[in-house]
Structures are given as C-alpha cells and as structure tokens.
Amino acid sequence: MAEALAREAFLDHVNTKFKLNIEGVDPIEITLNRVSDVIANGAAEGFSIVFKGPGEFILRQNTYKLEHEVLGTFSLLLVPVGKDEQGVDYEAVFNRLKPR
C-alpha cells in the first residue's frame, strides 16, 4: 500500500475524482487538485496533496476513508485549509523516511 500512496501515484491522478466516505451519509465526491513537494532530502521525503470538495459545508479535520478507481481504498487525515467559490480545499501531508 505504501507504493500506492507515493507522490508519483497521486501526480498521475490529479483532476480525478475520489469518494470520501462518512458513516451514515452518502459518499462525498472530492477532486484531487494538486500535489506539492514539502521536503526532499537524502533520508526523508514529504509532500502534500490538496482536494477540492463541495462548498455547501466544511468537514472538520479528521481521518476519512477515500476510494479511487485506480489507487484503491485508504484512509487519510484531511484538514480544511481554504474555501472559495468552487468549494472547500482539504490537505493531507505525507512525511516519511525513505527506505534504505
């Protein structure tokens, strides 16, 4: 699963739809808008991804289960980071040591 959540995997799926699942309600459709570098050095790697969700409501910071037709099902901590006319932005940040 770690390979599926690599920066390159997300880069391949910018502008694609994900289903965000919340228990007790219908899935919410969000779109992966961008993938950004956070850190990159010899020992560690980091990046962030930003999704755009509907603007009718703002989800609270929480870990959500996401589904994608290629990347599969996984959980991410999403943080609301902005809102505009198109909807609400949610960011997930990845920081990890590189395998030796």
Side-chain angles (χ1 to χ4, degrees):
M1 176 57 87
E3 294 92 23
L5 298 181
R7 180 179 179 274
E8 292 74 22
F10 286 111
L11 278 172
D12 290 341
H13 299 289
V14 170
N15 296 319
T16 64
K17 307 285 185 197
F18 289 71
K19 284 184 187 175
L20 186 149
N21 295 293
I22 302 173
E23 191 172 319
V25 298
D26 291 335
I28 298 165
E29 190 172 87
I30 61 175
T31 303
L32 178 59
N33 275 2
R34 71 180 178 270
V35 178
S36 303
D37 285 327
V38 175
I39 61 167
N41 62 41
E45 63 183 349
F47 63 96
S48 70
I49 58 177
V50 177
F51 296 93
K52 180 69 78 175
E56 299 85 48
F57 51 85
I58 299 175
L59 297 170
R60 64 186 179 98
Q61 176 178 315
N62 204 351
T63 301
Y64 295 98
K65 185 162 90 171
L66 300 176
E67 294 179 43
H68 186 267
E69 62 184 27
V70 175
L71 296 176
T73 301
F74 51 91
S75 295
L76 288 180
L77 173 65
L78 296 179
V79 179
V81 293
K83 182 176 181 184
D84 60 20
E85 309 79 47
Q86 286 81 39
V88 179
D89 292 326
Y90 298 96
E91 183 176 40
V93 177
F94 296 78
N95 280 313
R96 58 183 161 224
L97 294 175
K98 290 182 180 178
R100 292 183 178 214

